[in-house]
Amino acid sequence: MLGRLLTPSRATKLTALIAFVTLTAGGTWLVAASQGGAETSTSATADRLRTLRSGGTLTDDTVVATVNGEPINRGALEVHVATADLLGLGGKSREELLNDLIDDALLTQAAIESGVRVEDWEVDAAIRGGILDPLNSPETPPDIVELVNSVLDARGASAATALDDDRIRAAYRGLVIRGRYLQELRKSREDVLPGLRQQARIVILDQGAAPK
């Protein structure tokens, strides 16, 4: 829906910022909103994020799953759940949304083990292109600016500190590493993930997201 109201240039900026919303949670690079898949308003999502933050949920480091020993915390999952409708993922269960985060962890681990490396300047460029440039553009809709600032605030960050924020840098480093890994393999996520999952040690601790 949102994408139908935007020019290609504005849609690209919207895609980058919506992707950031999920990316800071460790989620996948999603473009559903810019393609008209959003099912709820950005202001409603921003309100929900503020409510979650006020209750301490977004900074909750309780482990909800481990992937080969690497933890995924509750705060990351709740951001992904909170933004699911906005991203056109309203039909996904909590279990499926947690699987998004697990898949990203698997791909990042595989990329690092294969020797893929990313320089700091590449992370800087990804953050500028994914957050700062679109956020500062007059073409970006005000409600998207509000949403992204809400996510930054929920993480204890801001546009001014994004380049130095460890969580944001880790998220964008993972994004670049995963993209480079798949590019080098010349395969898609769907091609690679079944094999990674088969070999992985995945432990689900969040009862609401555990397989039935």
Side-chain angles (χ1 to χ4, degrees):
M1 293 184 293
L2 289 169
R4 295 169 192 165
L5 304 177
L6 301 173
T7 64
S9 174
R10 294 181 72 188
T12 299
K13 292 181 175 64
L14 174 63
T15 297
L17 289 175
I18 292 299
F20 159 69
V21 171
T22 302
L23 183 61
T24 55
T28 52
W29 182 265
L30 300 168
V31 296
S34 70
Q35 296 172 341
E39 297 173 358
T40 189
S41 72
T42 54
S43 58
T45 303
D47 287 342
R48 183 173 178 186
L49 287 168
R50 280 191 286 269
T51 299
L52 289 171
R53 186 198 181 198
S54 66
T57 303
L58 298 186
T59 55
D60 189 342
D61 288 330
T62 301
V63 177
V64 295
T66 61
V67 183
N68 295 322
E70 178 182 323
I72 294 174
N73 64 45
R74 185 182 175 214
L77 177 59
E78 294 301 339
V79 172
H80 197 32
V81 171
T83 55
D85 287 345
L86 179 67
L87 295 163
L89 302 175
K92 277 195 169 186
S93 66
R94 187 180 179 89
E95 176 187 351
E96 291 171 316
L97 292 169
L98 178 55
N99 279 333
D100 287 343
L101 307 187
I102 290 171
D103 288 345
D104 271 0
L106 286 170
L107 284 169
T108 301
Q109 291 171 4
I112 292 172
E113 288 174 7
S114 73
V116 175
R117 295 291 181 269
V118 173
E119 301 295 334
D120 286 343
W121 68 265
E122 295 177 282
V123 178
D124 291 346
I127 293 173
R128 289 192 179 94
I131 306 175
L132 303 183
D133 292 346
L135 196 58
N136 293 324
S137 170
E139 294 185 338
T140 302
D143 58 339
I144 299 298
V145 172
E146 177 192 13
L147 174 63
V148 173
N149 281 327
S150 295
V151 175
L152 287 166
D153 182 62
R155 293 300 186 187
S158 67
T161 64
L163 282 170
D164 298 316
D165 186 273
D166 290 341
R167 190 189 299 261
I168 293 174
R169 292 192 69 82
Y172 273 91
R173 186 177 297 276
L175 172 69
V176 178
I177 285 176
R178 291 191 297 273
R180 183 163 299 166
Y181 176 60
L182 293 173
Q183 185 178 38
E184 290 181 358
L185 291 177
R186 296 185 180 180
K187 292 183 178 180
S188 67
R189 290 172 63 94
E190 291 71 22
D191 293 331
V192 175
L193 282 168
L196 295 179
R197 276 185 165 272
Q198 190 173 20
Q199 301 173 32
R201 291 177 289 105
I202 300 171
V203 179
I204 307 296
L205 301 172
D206 182 87
Q207 293 304 310
K212 303 296 187 290

